[in-house]
Amino acid sequence: MSSRTSDVLVIGGGVIGLVTAWRAAQRGLATAVVDPEPGGGAAQVAAGMLAAVTELHYGEETLLALNLESARRYPGFAAELTELTGHDLGYRRCGTLAVALDADDRAHLRDLHALQQRSGLASEWLSGRECRRLEPMLAPGVRGGLRVDGDHQIDPRRLAAALVAACERTGVVFHRAWAERLDVAGDRATGVTTADGTALRAGQVVLAAGSLSGRLAGVPGELLPPVRPVKGQVLRLAVPPRYAPFLSRTVRAVVRGGQVYLVPRENGELVVGATSEELGWDTTVTAGGVYELLRDAHELVPGITELPLTETRAGLRPCSPDNAPLLGPSGLAGLLLATGHHRNGVLLTPVTGDVLAHALATGELPQEARPFTPRRFGAALGEKLEQPA
Ligand SMILES: Cc1cc2nc3c(=O)[nH]c(=O)nc-3n(C[C@H](O)[C@H](O)[C@H](O)COP(=O)(O)OP(=O)(O)OC[C@H]3O[C@@H](n4cnc5c(N)ncnc54)[C@H](O)[C@@H]3O)c2cc1C
């Protein structure tokens, strides 16, 4: 059995694991990532809305603060990543329009507006006519909407590719393999063993395995993070040049209780999402899922049926019991968590990288991450962070 050593080993090369590895390496830590396909994961499916304000839900005000903090960091983060790698991230500061199609949706949106105002967030109520003036492709029946100029978008596939490149440039080592189990010696995590029997040793290990984070063998049962998969189906369409600009910003609505959104990319791609299904690790694209998305999107923007449908895909959101991420030390010395980002993982990428790298380098979890320690789900899950040697 061969063995390789680093200061930090990150299990999982989705956007969360990659940004953690990149930021840790920038701080001078010898860092490795273990993942058979770094840059894959949920980012290959996600819409990439950076929607701190329109994703606000009752009872999630603590998460709002972290979402806003990450949104605030996005311009600098995107600029730094592009400068380092030369990658265009498709970061588009286009704003969002959340609209209502009937009286129930309108009441729901009015409530959301009131909550946003109480939370000090910038959003403006528009009449149906004002919505259509902004976005002429909207259905004539739109009853009103919320204009949120601060909710932007990024292309998550490009983001993931850029993070792989940033890691490579910063000296992160990739082990393109499956971590079969976490290895523990005495009372501390020491690394992982991969599927081919290689032992990867590290001073600190970060579990960032997305929706699989709660299933890694070797993690003591009471310490497994309570993360489950929530399936989302997404469609991609192409806007031919003769229809451009089809939409100038993200348009979203709640239709019959389900969320639907249309995210227009600068390159002509239009992303339509997403279902939310509790079906374990199933990623089948179903006729029902595609039908519902097209039906609801068509109600919002009837012209959508003219566009070529280029891709259908399903992915898994890593979801925790309170929909917020688990960040920082676990109850096992040497093991930190960066998982459970659910529907905001792309938005939370910058702040996650910053806080995890800080914790890895200094032994301290920054203030903004403290409400998100794993310990909130039980004393056993936190907290064994030490000063690094
Ligand atoms: C349909 C859909 C729409 C979304 N829309 C948005 C959006 O608009 N805005 C937003 O902010 N977020 C959105 N998200 C959420 C976002 O995509 C996720 O929160 C984020 O991508 C999670 O990243 P992650 O790195 O934690 O996990 P993942 O992307 O799941 O990556 C985990 C990685 O770990 C690897 N791995 C797992 N187990 C092991 C192991 N044992 N050994 C080695 N490697 C392992 C996997 O191969 C994978 O590459 C959406 C998600 C979905 C599914």
Side-chain angles (χ1 to χ4, degrees):
M1 182 170 84
S2 63
S3 166
R4 306 202 213 141
T5 302
S6 54
D7 295 330
V8 174
L9 175 67
V10 181
I11 306 170
V15 286
I16 296 302
L18 290 170
V19 75
T20 300
W22 174 39
R23 291 305 199 194
Q26 278 183 322
R27 284 174 172 259
L29 296 166
T31 303
V33 172
V34 57
D35 190 323
E37 201 193 333
Q44 294 302 315
V45 182
M49 293 178 295
L50 308 176
V53 177
T54 41
E55 280 285 341
L56 176 59
H57 293 260
Y58 283 99
E60 294 186 3
E61 288 80 358
T62 312
L63 177 58
L64 170 69
L66 193 69
N67 286 344
L68 287 172
E69 182 52 34
S70 207
R72 192 185 67 73
R73 294 181 193 194
Y74 238 104
F77 167 82
E80 185 185 350
L81 197 48
T82 295
E83 194 182 318
L84 176 66
T85 64
H87 285 229
D88 171 2
L89 308 177
Y91 179 45
R92 193 171 174 198
R93 302 174 80 169
C94 58
T96 297
L97 184 64
V99 301
L101 285 167
D102 60 24
D104 284 350
D105 295 345
R106 195 167 181 278
H108 169 86
L109 215 51
R110 281 285 196 195
D111 285 350
L112 180 63
H113 189 215
L115 179 62
Q116 289 168 347
Q117 289 190 312
R118 281 200 300 281
S119 308
L121 303 172
S123 64
E124 183 190 359
W125 183 262
L126 301 182
S127 67
R129 183 174 301 183
E130 287 168 327
C131 290
R132 280 190 301 281
R133 204 174 298 139
L134 278 184
E135 296 296 343
M137 296 305 283
L138 279 173
V142 164
R143 304 282 289 264
L146 274 178
R147 176 178 175 164
V148 179
D149 287 341
D151 277 0
H152 303 309
Q153 59 151 304
I154 197 165
D155 184 334
R157 292 177 174 174
R158 292 176 179 220
L159 172 66
L163 285 169
V164 171
C167 284
E168 281 165 348
R169 288 193 174 221
T170 322
V172 172
V173 174
F174 284 105
H175 300 288
R176 288 182 163 74
W178 198 251
E180 200 78 344
R181 65 161 197 274
L182 181 79
D183 294 323
V184 178
D187 59 358
R188 70 171 296 126
T190 55
V192 303
T193 299
T194 64
D196 70 359
T198 304
L200 304 176
R201 293 286 155 257
Q204 300 184 85
V205 178
V206 180
L207 179 54
S211 62
L212 287 163
S213 298
R215 289 186 29 145
L216 184 65
V219 180
E222 71 281 10
L223 301 183
L224 281 169
V227 173
R228 67 182 199 283
V230 176
K231 175 180 173 182
Q233 302 190 45
V234 164
L235 315 177
R236 282 177 164 79
L237 299 94
V239 178
R242 67 180 184 282
Y243 288 126
F246 190 76
L247 295 172
S248 64
R249 75 202 67 220
T250 297
V251 168
R252 54 188 299 164
V254 176
V255 183
R256 284 178 281 270
Q259 294 270 356
V260 64
Y261 49 74
L262 293 83
V263 182
R265 304 247 193 263
E266 227 142 41
N267 65 4
E269 183 177 81
L270 182 68
V271 183
V272 176
T275 64
S276 187
E277 304 164 75
E278 303 261 359
L279 291 170
W281 281 269
D282 169 63
T283 52
T284 315
V285 174
T286 63
V290 175
Y291 165 72
E292 280 171 28
L293 288 172
L294 283 176
R295 179 195 64 196
D296 294 351
H298 173 253
E299 269 189 53
L300 267 187
V301 179
I304 196 171
T305 48
E306 303 293 322
L307 305 180
L309 177 63
T310 54
E311 191 182 331
T312 59
R313 199 150 168 188
L316 301 171
R317 306 174 186 90
C319 184
S320 77
D322 62 4
N323 295 330
L326 291 87
L327 302 174
S330 74
L332 181 65
L335 179 68
L336 290 85
L337 305 184
T339 187
H341 291 69
H342 194 210
R343 53 177 192 266
N344 289 311
V346 179
L347 169 62
L348 289 170
T349 294
V351 78
T352 300
D354 292 347
V355 301
L356 259 293
H358 188 90
L360 288 163
T362 68
E364 296 234 331
L365 194 62
Q367 187 60 40
E368 61 271 26
R370 290 197 188 149
F372 304 98
T373 62
R375 192 177 32 181
R376 71 189 189 278
F377 297 118
L381 279 158
E383 165 153 320
K384 295 259 171 57
L385 192 68
E386 310 143 342
Q387 300 298 327

